Amino acid sequence: VCDNLVMPAASIRARVRAEMIDEIKSVARRHLASDGANLSLRAVARDMGMVSSALYRYFPSRDDLLTALIVDGYNALGAAVEAGDATVADRTDGRARWYAAGRAIRAWALARPAEYALLFGSPVPGYQAPQDTVLAARRTPLVLLQIAALATRPAHPVSPPAALTRDLTGVVDALAEVLPATDLDPGRMALGSIAWIHLFGAVSFELFGQLNNVVEARDEYFDLQLGLLADLLGL
Amino acid sequence: VCDNLVMPAASIRARVRAEMIDEIKSVARRHLASDGANLSLRAVARDMGMVSSALYRYFPSRDDLLTALIVDGYNALGAAVEAGDATVADRTDGRARWYAAGRAIRAWALARPAEYALLFGSPVPGYQAPQDTVLAARRTPLVLLQIAALATRPAHPVSPPAALTRDLTGVVDALAEVLPATDLDPGRMALGSIAWIHLFGAVSFELFGQLNNVVEARDEYFDLQLGLLADLLGL
DNA sequence: TGTACATCAGTGAACGCGCGTTCACTGATGTAC
DNA sequence: TGTACATCAGTGAACGCGCGTTCACTGATGTAC
């Protein structure tokens, strides 16, 4: 409020612009929920009481809006998982943190199914995700890998083939700045990434409707899977 | 060829009709590959050299065509998995059969990514799958459950909660006619279904592009996951 | 402090295209006597 | 076997709607002297 008076006029315009961008994205997110990934610029503009061409002041094309939504989505999910993980007081209790993080993923997905589908569902036809998204995309698995590194008990014995170890080492190295103490041997790296994939499987299977008419006790089912994966990791 | 002469005329018309339906579905499948699930009736008609309204002689609406494609897809996948499983000569070798079935799923998905996405990807906006699809959908997990029933070693210890056991028992009972000797205790039922879900996760993760820029050794990665799941099942 | 100029947000019309579905119709194919 | 009728496949026009993107434009807001 008071800031307005101190700020130079240029910043006001910049801030209004930023707020507009936020509102466009938020309206677009609402549309994702009903229309899936065939997001319509005109519908978004309509909802905002603007003419469709006005949106081009903010996003050079529909794909750029989609990209912004995807990056935001990955970050929102990552933040939710980090927050879930952070609720565990004892930072050395890997198993508790694993449950907290896993449940946070599922809770986020159930709360925003369309956004989850945009991130993890079938690729949008004709849309090519730019490089900007990959950093944000790694935020969630990063949390899970950090938890996997806490494993105390011996993990499930695995001997990943050399080619795979090379791939995974590359990823972990790229994360080294963010994840300093990577005391993950190849086996644990492989297990950690696999646990993430299988977790994704559990969430997607439920969210994409494959559990319909089959399993109703979904919380319990998910927790059971979390437990199996924790065992797998040696947490 | 000769059959034409013997067959009553009415059957000829019926057969031409069946062939037309097949061709429509096959053209539609090709379109799925490029356009994702926003399948266009007009585009299909164009490819067949027909006027779009002519398709209504064969399918009452676009959704009915989609449903037919979905049912066909589930059946094709199921058949591929059954064929994969059948290549293992020693029918008591559960672990070999598990690998064969799992690899068949992935191979089918990689060969027909758009169809896989239609079955297992984000739900098509506005489309409600009718009950016709559920039977076909169970064909693949049925094979996997039959293999899980072969487990000789003790499986990973699990104690599924009562509500979940009830759900899974219901499903297995429904399959009882097809799967006669269901010597699956609740724990193994739960493990079998979870292994299927995690397998789905592995395939979807790769197919939906989440492995891009991360893992290149995909065959090895998948096999590693198959092995972990086989261990989980006690195969 | 006041004025001339540049920047920027938003308008409205248009381009060129797509879609699912309906409907009255023409001809060919099959059926019944 | 031949003829009258019914069935069915496919046409072409139309309805009513959607879309992304471009472009010349009006006014308001911010900047520099």
Side-chain angles (χ1 to χ4, degrees):
Chain A
V1 185
C2 304
D3 290 351
N4 289 2
L5 305 174
V6 196
M7 265 184 179
S11 299
I12 295 185
R13 183 130 87 177
R15 209 178 58 182
V16 170
R17 190 182 165 79
E19 279 167 7
M20 278 298 289
I21 289 181
D22 278 353
E23 196 186 335
I24 292 170
K25 290 195 289 192
S26 133
V27 171
R29 265 187 286 269
R30 275 207 303 278
H31 273 272
L32 276 183
S34 44
D35 308 336
N38 346 355
L39 180 66
S40 150
L41 279 191
R42 290 186 109 111
V44 172
R46 228 178 286 129
D47 269 26
M48 297 191 56
M50 296 171 79
V51 110
S52 68
S53 52
L55 289 188
Y56 286 80
R57 291 276 160 207
Y58 301 95
F59 294 96
S61 78
R62 195 193 80 122
D63 277 8
D64 291 275
L65 174 53
L66 264 186
T67 300
L69 293 177
I70 289 174
V71 171
D72 279 11
Y74 278 126
N75 278 318
L77 172 61
V81 176
E82 287 162 10
D85 175 35
T87 61
V88 178
D90 179 2
R91 305 308 288 157
T92 65
D93 186 348
R95 197 173 175 95
R97 288 177 62 185
W98 173 257
Y99 268 83
R103 286 171 176 161
I105 295 176
R106 176 166 175 263
W108 189 88
L110 288 177
R112 308 157 97 153
E115 259 180 287
Y116 180 89
L118 182 63
L119 303 180
F120 296 107
S122 357
V124 180
Y127 173 81
Q128 182 68 23
Q131 211 62 15
D132 315 17
T133 61
V134 300
L135 214 90
R138 287 183 183 172
R139 204 163 149 183
T140 293
L142 177 60
V143 176
L144 300 182
L145 277 182
Q146 282 174 307
I147 297 174
L150 291 177
T152 49
R153 296 189 287 118
H156 190 98
V158 280
S159 46
L164 181 60
T165 301
R166 233 177 291 122
D167 286 343
L168 293 174
T169 308
V171 176
V172 172
D173 283 354
L175 294 175
E177 319 144 14
V178 205
L179 178 72
T182 37
D183 53 352
L184 283 169
D185 61 283
R188 283 201 196 269
M189 279 189 327
L191 286 176
S193 64
I194 288 172
W196 156 230
I197 290 177
H198 291 189
L199 213 51
F200 147 88
V203 173
S204 296
F205 203 84
E206 174 177 358
L207 217 77
F208 296 164
Q210 302 287 334
L211 240 44
N212 294 347
N213 306 317
V214 179
V215 169
E216 300 307 324
R218 299 185 177 179
D219 292 350
E220 292 87 342
Y221 200 34
F222 185 75
D223 274 1
L224 186 63
Q225 297 181 67
L226 273 181
L228 291 177
L229 293 172
D231 290 347
L232 180 79
L233 294 169
L235 285 172
Chain B
V1 186
C2 304
D3 291 351
N4 289 2
L5 305 174
V6 195
M7 266 183 178
S11 297
I12 295 188
R13 182 128 90 178
R15 209 178 60 180
V16 169
R17 190 182 166 79
E19 280 167 7
M20 278 297 289
I21 289 181
D22 278 353
E23 196 186 336
I24 291 170
K25 290 195 290 191
S26 134
V27 171
R29 264 188 286 269
R30 274 207 304 277
H31 273 272
L32 276 183
S34 45
D35 308 337
N38 345 357
L39 180 66
S40 151
L41 278 192
R42 290 186 106 110
V44 171
R46 226 178 288 128
D47 269 26
M48 297 192 57
M50 297 170 79
V51 113
S52 68
S53 52
L55 290 187
Y56 286 81
R57 292 275 161 206
Y58 301 95
F59 295 95
S61 80
R62 195 194 79 121
D63 277 8
D64 292 275
L65 174 53
L66 265 185
T67 300
L69 292 176
I70 290 174
V71 171
D72 279 11
Y74 278 125
N75 278 319
L77 172 60
V81 176
E82 287 161 10
D85 175 35
T87 61
V88 178
D90 179 3
R91 306 306 291 157
T92 65
D93 187 348
R95 197 174 175 94
R97 289 178 61 185
W98 172 257
Y99 268 83
R103 285 171 176 160
I105 295 176
R106 175 165 175 263
W108 189 89
L110 289 177
R112 308 157 98 156
E115 257 179 289
Y116 180 88
L118 182 63
L119 303 180
F120 296 107
S122 355
V124 180
Y127 173 81
Q128 183 67 25
Q131 212 62 15
D132 316 15
T133 61
V134 301
L135 213 91
R138 286 183 184 171
R139 202 162 150 185
T140 294
L142 177 61
V143 176
L144 300 181
L145 277 183
Q146 283 174 307
I147 296 175
L150 291 178
T152 49
R153 296 187 290 120
H156 190 97
V158 280
S159 46
L164 181 59
T165 301
R166 234 176 291 122
D167 286 344
L168 294 174
T169 308
V171 175
V172 173
D173 283 354
L175 294 175
E177 321 144 14
V178 204
L179 179 70
T182 37
D183 53 351
L184 283 168
D185 60 284
R188 285 199 195 269
M189 278 187 330
L191 286 177
S193 64
I194 288 173
W196 155 230
I197 291 177
H198 291 189
L199 213 53
F200 148 87
V203 173
S204 296
F205 204 82
E206 175 177 358
L207 218 77
F208 296 164
Q210 301 288 332
L211 241 42
N212 295 347
N213 307 315
V214 179
V215 169
E216 300 307 324
R218 299 184 177 178
D219 293 350
E220 292 87 343
Y221 200 34
F222 185 75
D223 274 0
L224 187 62
Q225 298 182 66
L226 274 182
L228 290 177
L229 293 172
D231 289 348
L232 180 78
L233 293 171
L235 286 172

